[in-house]
């Protein structure tokens, strides 16, 4: 159904009701039986009727009113983000700041925590599992670097995350993570990618095995896997329990803030990785990746 300035298929009363009960302009259009592209006309009529749209969130989980309250009661941007209950990453922080500016909010009292006096207490913030996806690449860089492999980041976005120089040449590494197991205790890791299309709802597809050499996978319990792409070719999801021969280390102390139970027990390094990194003849125990709370690395 289409609408024009001269002929509408909805009344002012219907528009008022739709605006009051919807979270976005697209939702208003759907409520009126219109296409998403018809929002221009309904916006003009909403402005004519002076309808309140401050409760619209669109893709956001917070309203303008909620942001006003968070800004007024916070002392820094980190407090605002925590109050809104969202992940504190660069993109979301910039988005919130920009929205606050558009609303004309007074943000002069929001100071950076770096400007505050340094606390005397030791830093003991708890681990946030949802941040594993942002730290997995750094863990991979540390793992390879500790084994004498030069690590580089691609200049432009590529299908791989890292370039690692090994005795067998440069390996293209894709980093994946899984923060928590399923209710049944299985670690199901997504190893697919989204197609390069505008539709963000498109299902994930496998990586081309000719574009990736290795998958570096870190789980929320600290388990680290290095798996050749040929082993995972054609897959978009795996269960880590099926790939224990490729488990190469344990970073659980980083994810728990303490040394893992049985930390002194020997750990296996897969034969594939030993050969790849030129580690034949070395004691596998010496290459387990653990960083303890006391700062020791083994």
């Amino acid at each position: 159904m289409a609408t024009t300035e001269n002929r509408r298929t909805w009344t002012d009363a219907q528009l008022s009701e739709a605006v009051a009960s919807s979270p976005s302009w697209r939702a208003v259009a759907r409520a009126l039986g219109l296409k998403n592209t018809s929002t221009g006309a309904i916006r003009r009529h909403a402005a004519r009727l002076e309808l309140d749209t401050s409760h619209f969130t669109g893709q956001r989980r917070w309203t303008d009113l909620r942001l006003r309250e968070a800004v007024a009661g916070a002392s820094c941007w980190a407090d605002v983000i925590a109050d809104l209950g969202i992940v504190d990453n660069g993109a979301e922080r910039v988005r919130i700041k920009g929205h606050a500016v558009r609303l004309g909010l007074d943000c002069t009292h929001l100071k950076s925590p770096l400007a505050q006096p340094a606390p005397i207490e030791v830093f003991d913030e708890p681990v946030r599992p949802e941040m594993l996806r942002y730290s997995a690449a750094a863990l991979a860089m540390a793992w390879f670097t500790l084994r004498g492999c030069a690590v580089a980041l691609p200049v432009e976005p590529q299908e791989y995350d890292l370039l690692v120089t090994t005795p067998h040449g440069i390996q293209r590494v894709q980093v994946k993570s899984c923060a928590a197991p399923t209710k049944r205790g299985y670690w199901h890791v997504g190893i697919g990618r989204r197609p390069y299309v505008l539709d963000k709802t498109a299902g994930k597809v496998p990586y081309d095995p000719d574009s990736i050499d290795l998958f570096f996978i870190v789980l929320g319990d600290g388990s680290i896997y290095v798996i050749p792409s040929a082993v995972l070719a054609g897959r978009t999801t795996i269960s880590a329990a099926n790939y224990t021969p490729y488990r190469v280390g344990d970073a659980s102390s980083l994810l728990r803030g303490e040394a893992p139970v049985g930390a002194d027990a020997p750990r296996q390094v897969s034969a594939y990785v030993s050969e790849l990194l030129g580690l034949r003849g070395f004691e596998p125990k010496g290459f387990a990746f653990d960083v303890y709370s006391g700062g020791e690395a083994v």
Side-chain angles (χ1 to χ4, degrees):
M1 296 176 64
T3 183
T4 65
E5 291 294 323
N6 297 324
R7 183 179 179 182
R8 291 185 285 144
T9 58
W10 39 268
T11 65
D12 287 352
Q14 290 174 322
L15 175 60
S16 298
E17 182 180 352
V19 168
S21 59
S22 300
S24 66
W25 287 112
R26 289 189 175 185
V28 172
R30 289 193 297 268
L32 296 175
L34 307 175
K35 296 180 179 179
N36 290 338
T37 55
S38 303
T39 59
I42 60 179
R43 283 174 185 252
R44 288 191 291 272
H45 283 284
R48 173 178 60 81
L49 297 173
E50 298 182 348
L51 301 181
D52 179 19
T53 59
S54 62
H55 60 286
F56 280 12
T57 61
Q59 298 287 334
R60 296 180 279 115
R61 292 180 294 172
W62 39 269
T63 64
D64 290 353
L65 177 60
R66 189 72 189 84
L67 178 59
R68 291 179 187 274
E69 295 173 345
V71 169
S75 59
C76 63
W77 284 108
D79 291 342
V80 174
I81 294 172
D83 195 3
L84 294 177
I86 60 179
V87 176
D88 188 359
N89 57 47
E92 284 297 330
R93 181 173 288 225
V94 170
R95 183 184 181 191
I96 291 172
K97 283 185 177 181
H99 205 82
V101 170
R102 288 196 300 273
L103 293 177
L105 304 184
D106 179 12
C107 303
T108 56
H109 62 290
L110 300 180
K111 299 179 180 180
S112 170
L114 298 178
Q116 306 300 320
I120 299 176
E121 294 81 6
V122 175
F123 184 83
D124 60 352
E125 291 295 320
V127 171
R128 294 166 56 185
E130 72 274 12
M131 301 305 291
L132 179 60
R133 60 181 298 187
Y134 302 107
S135 58
L139 289 174
M141 294 176 71
W143 191 91
F144 284 109
T145 302
L146 285 170
R147 284 150 181 78
C149 299
V151 180
L153 297 172
V155 176
E156 297 180 354
Q158 300 289 342
E159 289 192 8
Y160 49 86
D161 295 315
L162 304 174
L163 288 170
V164 179
T165 302
T166 74
H168 293 268
I170 296 177
Q171 304 290 309
R172 297 160 299 179
V173 180
Q174 171 60 228
V175 181
K176 296 296 183 181
S177 65
C178 180
T182 64
K183 293 182 179 180
R184 295 186 176 183
Y186 297 107
W187 293 92
H188 288 170
V189 186
I191 59 168
R193 65 173 183 84
R194 288 198 189 282
Y196 295 113
V197 295
L198 296 179
D199 184 7
K200 299 301 183 181
T201 62
K204 291 190 176 182
V205 298
Y207 283 91
D208 183 344
D210 290 332
S211 301
I212 302 294
D213 298 305
L214 298 173
F215 281 90
F216 182 98
I217 299 172
V218 57
L219 307 183
D221 66 354
S223 300
I224 297 174
Y225 296 75
V226 176
I227 308 177
S229 63
V231 175
L232 304 181
R235 298 184 180 276
T236 58
T237 305
I238 65 169
S239 177
N242 296 328
Y243 297 89
T244 52
Y246 297 96
R247 186 176 184 272
V248 298
D250 183 355
S252 58
S253 58
L254 286 174
L255 302 177
R256 291 205 308 263
E258 59 186 16
V261 177
D264 295 332
R267 294 178 181 80
Q268 295 182 346
V269 176
S270 72
Y272 173 82
V273 173
S274 295
E275 182 172 349
L276 173 71
L277 302 181
L279 302 181
R280 285 179 296 180
F282 285 79
E283 172 60 42
K285 178 180 177 181
F287 288 88
F289 178 54
D290 283 298
V291 179
Y292 300 102
S293 57
E296 297 180 347
V298 178

